[in-house]
Amino acid sequence: MNPVYAALGTTIFEHMSARARSLGAVNLGQGFPDGKGPADVLQEAARALLSDSNQYPPMAGLPALRQAVADHYAAHQGLDLDAREVIVTSGATEALAAAIFALVSPGDEVILFQPMYDAYLPLVERAGGVARFVRLEPPEWRITREALERAASPRTKLILFNDPLNPTATMASAAERRLLADFCVERDLIAICDEVWEHVVFDGRAHAPLMAEPGMRNRCVKIGSAGKIFSLTGWKVGWLCAAPALSSVIAKAHQFLTFTTPPNLQAAAAYGLGKDMAYFTGMRAGFARSRDRLAAGLEASGYRVLPSAATYFLSIDLAASGIAMGDVAFCEWLVEERGVAAIPVSAFYAQDAVTNVVRLCFAKADETIDGALERMVRRP
């Protein structure tokens, strides 16, 4: 057995969701919305399934979706992409895998920011890469030049950058983006940019891609997700965008992973990316209202809630809330004694974990949020 995967346990998300199912708990752990997604996008998927071809689409993706991705980023983020620089993947995680397998050779060092999505480290290690960690800390979770310098060496090849950042629900500042861009240019590094939360941002904020920074156009791999944009997490339609020197190699890895993605879902994603601004504004407003509902209820019960600028998540600072338990112990107590599933943020660290922060998902119906709040009134 490959030692990278043989040593892995069940993900914290599956573990807590299973606990929620077995105990009949309210599941605010795993990050999926309660709703069905936009009806017109679903209808387009059904139309394409019944009317269009269901045979293999092109390996790089339907031309309509590749063009829609390029047009969408031109309209929303000011990027000048050619459709030929877009590769459609079976979800953003497959895009991450293809990019890492194509660009990381044995012995290459990869800078990862902790806390981090749990797929990053095993993918880097499976490619033969060596992870170097930058530890981010609450409440700001900010990147510094000093931390980057400590993590880097002459063997550093790549930075894996998640913005907006799950689980912290933060967005990189303009100064942090400039810092990362300067660092990549100075050291001739590639940046894989996991930007799946780019549209789930709040309070008038707008996502700015690292690819738009000076010197980064030809050294960035930008990854997006229809599942996050349209609240259809089970569709697993993603894409990556990169200059030809990078995308042509990544496509070769992609062809031996999933090769392609269901064509009707690609057609629906292409349709959805062309929706007018009102959809995106309304989607953000709905999630922000749910965020505020959960935050207000938690604060009324004495929990200290950290700011949530983006994603489906907000976090409780246990220490600031006067709770002496660590995050793992608190999550076990919460699901067993109060019937609410949450995620300990220490699960997003490979080493030197922050242990006083717990993540909750607010992409839920009002009654789900209110039910969780009723159970959380009594604190440990």
Side-chain angles (χ1 to χ4, degrees), residues 315-371:
S315 295
I316 296 170
D317 185 329
L318 297 176
S321 302
I323 297 172
M325 303 168 73
D327 60 346
V328 173
F330 177 83
C331 286
E332 291 294 340
W333 172 86
L334 187 64
V335 74
E336 290 179 1
E337 302 298 329
R338 295 293 177 264
V340 177
I343 299 292
V345 166
S346 61
F348 296 85
Y349 287 78
Q351 60 186 38
D352 302 323
V354 168
T355 60
N356 64 298
V357 178
V358 170
R359 192 194 78 173
L360 300 169
C361 176
F362 55 74
K364 305 296 179 182
D366 288 353
E367 55 267 29
T368 303
I369 292 173
D370 293 346

Side-chain angles (χ1 to χ4, degrees), residues 288-320:
R289 187 183 65 81
S290 296
R291 175 200 63 176
D292 295 345
R293 188 183 194 94
L294 180 58
L298 290 170
E299 289 167 352
S301 295
Y303 293 98
R304 175 68 65 84
V305 176
L306 295 175
S308 171
T311 76
Y312 296 154
F313 310 110
L314 58 76
S315 295
I316 296 170
D317 185 329
L318 297 176

